[in-house]
């Protein structure tokens, strides 16, 4: 079984990946609860801290063989994959490409030993990247009323969040709504991973 997913809104995905890596660094205790082990390198030298994993683990398209000697999901493997995805997204954004994910195996069944995997490749430029969108009145109060590309809208929104100190100091992946953002978010706080869906309701 094969499935293909074209990643649109690459800037939003890239921001989410960088934000999640930053959250990992800022919340080592929470991260440690999610993984049985931090992982080890190819020589079976085990990492002692989350910071050590973030600093030493490189990106790789084949991390099970090139990065870690472990046979199960650990932080080293997760960080390598995140760094790889970040590099692919940054390259795609710089060269106006799109990213296509190819999935194979039993993703729907979730059965053990199904042989699931995923590969990424750079494909032809995505036509949606240049599509101009009209922001809703609520969103226009922040990004302006002119028609903009989705990546431009996201950049302006993040600039507003940063300028007004709206990232939560305790949980950086969360964004606190002020009077302007509340009509857009619909609640007092949202995760950065929710932004794509929220913005989709405020452009046409």
């Amino acid at each position: 079984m094969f499935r293909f997913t074209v990643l649109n809104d690459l800037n939003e995905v890239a921001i989410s990946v960088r934000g999640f890596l930053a959250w990992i660094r800022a919340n080592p205790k929470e991260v440690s609860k999610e993984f049985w082990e931090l992982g080890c390198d190819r020589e079976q030298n085990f990492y002692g801290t989350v910071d050590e994993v973030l600093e030493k683990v490189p990106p790789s398209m084949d991390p099970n063989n090139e990065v870690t000697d472990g046979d199960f999901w650990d932080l080293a493997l997760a960080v390598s994959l995140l760094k790889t995805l970040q590099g692919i997204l940054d390259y795609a954004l710089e060269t106006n490409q799109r990213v296509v994910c190819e999935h194979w195996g039993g993703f729907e069944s979730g059965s053990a030993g199904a042989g699931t995997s995923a590969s990424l490749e750079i494909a032809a430029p995505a036509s949606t990247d240049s599509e101009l969108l009209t922001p809703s009145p609520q969103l226009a109060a922040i990004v302006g009323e002119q028609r903009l590309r989705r990546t431009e809208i996201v950049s302006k929104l993040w600039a507003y969040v940063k300028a007004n100190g709206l990232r939560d100091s305790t949980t950086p992946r969360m964004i606190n709504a002020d009077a302007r953002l509340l009509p857009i978010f619909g609640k007092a706080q949202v995760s950065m991973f929710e932004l794509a869906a929220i913005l989709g309701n405020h452009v046409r």
Side-chain angles (χ1 to χ4, degrees):
M1 180 193 69
F2 289 87
R3 292 189 297 136
F4 296 89
T5 303
V6 178
L7 298 183
N8 294 314
D9 306 327
L10 296 187
N11 194 50
E12 296 177 29
V13 181
I15 288 171
S16 295
V17 171
R18 284 193 291 271
F20 187 50
L21 285 168
W23 181 85
I24 289 174
R25 186 181 297 278
N27 298 271
K29 291 183 179 179
E30 292 300 317
V31 172
S32 297
K33 294 177 183 177
E34 297 296 326
F35 294 91
W36 286 100
E37 292 183 356
L38 298 181
C40 62
D41 60 19
R42 291 294 302 157
E43 285 69 45
Q44 293 191 333
N45 298 309
F46 283 84
Y47 298 108
T49 66
V50 171
D51 276 342
E52 188 180 5
V53 174
L54 290 169
E55 294 301 327
K56 293 186 176 181
V57 171
S60 171
M61 291 298 289
D62 187 17
N64 283 103
N65 292 312
E66 297 177 352
V67 174
T68 179
D69 194 46
D71 294 326
F72 49 86
W73 186 251
D74 55 32
L75 181 62
L77 187 62
V79 167
S80 181
L81 291 172
L82 286 168
K83 286 184 176 181
T84 301
L85 180 57
Q86 180 180 319
I88 290 173
L89 291 167
D90 289 344
Y91 174 80
L93 285 165
E94 289 174 4
T95 56
N96 192 31
Q97 303 291 314
R98 70 184 179 189
V99 177
V100 178
C101 300
E102 176 189 343
H103 316 273
W104 64 272
F107 274 81
E108 274 73 19
S109 65
S111 58
T116 60
S117 183
S119 62
L120 298 170
E121 64 180 37
I122 304 299
S127 59
T128 54
D129 288 346
S130 60
E131 182 181 359
L132 294 177
L133 302 171
T134 301
S136 68
Q138 297 90 340
L139 185 58
I142 293 174
V143 304
E145 297 180 357
Q146 70 274 29
R147 288 167 60 80
L148 296 166
R149 294 177 177 84
R150 188 178 295 270
T151 53
E152 293 173 322
I153 292 174
V154 173
S155 295
K156 286 178 177 289
L157 181 60
W158 273 105
Y160 178 85
V161 169
K162 183 177 179 180
N164 291 275
L166 297 176
R167 292 189 67 177
D168 190 79
S169 58
T170 304
T171 310
R173 74 177 186 277
M174 303 301 292
I175 301 169
N176 298 316
D178 62 3
R180 286 185 171 184
L181 286 177
L182 190 57
I184 299 171
F185 291 173
K187 52 186 176 180
Q189 191 181 64
V190 302
S191 163
M192 61 175 63
F193 306 114
E194 298 177 74
L195 280 183
I198 290 172
L199 289 178
N201 295 324
H202 285 273
V203 296
R204 58 179 175 82

